[in-house]
Amino acid sequence: QVQLVESGGGLVQAGGSLRLSCAASGRTFSSYAMGWFRQPPGKEREIVAAITWRGGSTVYADSVKGRFTISRDIAKNTVSLQMNSLKPEDTAVYYCAAKYGGTYGEYDYWGQGTQVTVSS
């Protein structure tokens, strides 16, 4: 059974940084892609960034390019999202997700989410 557990959310001022982590367990993820999604208040969920577990190929939403970095630690089975230069519009619940194969397409497994609030 796949489990994804996020941590690292919180309240930060605009211009600040946060690092989110996702601990993955339940299977071997070498053929999986891991993604970070977010859902701002009153809006639909959107992808933020994703990475392939094996090769480390990454994709980013245009709104976070140059500010956010996704990475994975194979030994620790964790995926992280380093968020710099945060803006109030980054406020959202952030979710870790996993899918078999590449970074595009439907994600099958989801964490419970962690709140990120950026104050102006």
Side-chain angles (χ1 to χ4, degrees), residues 1-4 23-29 32 77 109:
Q1 180 177 344
V2 174
Q3 275 199 313
L4 304 173
S25 62
R27 65 182 54 188
T28 301
F29 290 94
Y32 277 66
N77 249 25
Y109 306 99

Side-chain angles (χ1 to χ4, degrees), residues 23-109:
S25 62
R27 65 182 54 188
T28 301
F29 290 94
S30 57
S31 297
Y32 277 66
M34 307 294 293
W36 283 98
F37 291 73
R38 68 185 180 187
Q39 186 164 18
K43 296 185 179 180
E44 293 188 355
R45 188 166 57 195
E46 60 183 8
I47 190 165
V48 176
I51 187 168
T52 56
W53 199 271
R54 180 174 290 157
S57 297
T58 58
V59 293
Y60 293 93
D62 288 343
S63 58
V64 306
K65 282 180 182 175
R67 300 189 298 123
F68 291 11
T69 303
I70 189 170
S71 61
R72 85 266 191 256
D73 186 325
I74 295 173
K76 294 182 179 179
N77 249 25
T78 58
V79 178
S80 298
L81 185 69
Q82 178 66 41
M83 305 185 294
N84 298 329
S85 302
L86 283 160
K87 305 175 181 180
E89 51 264 43
D90 294 318
T91 295
V93 178
Y94 283 71
Y95 297 91
C96 176
K99 65 178 293 290
Y100 186 83
T103 54
Y104 292 97
E106 292 272 340
Y107 280 69
D108 302 305
Y109 306 99

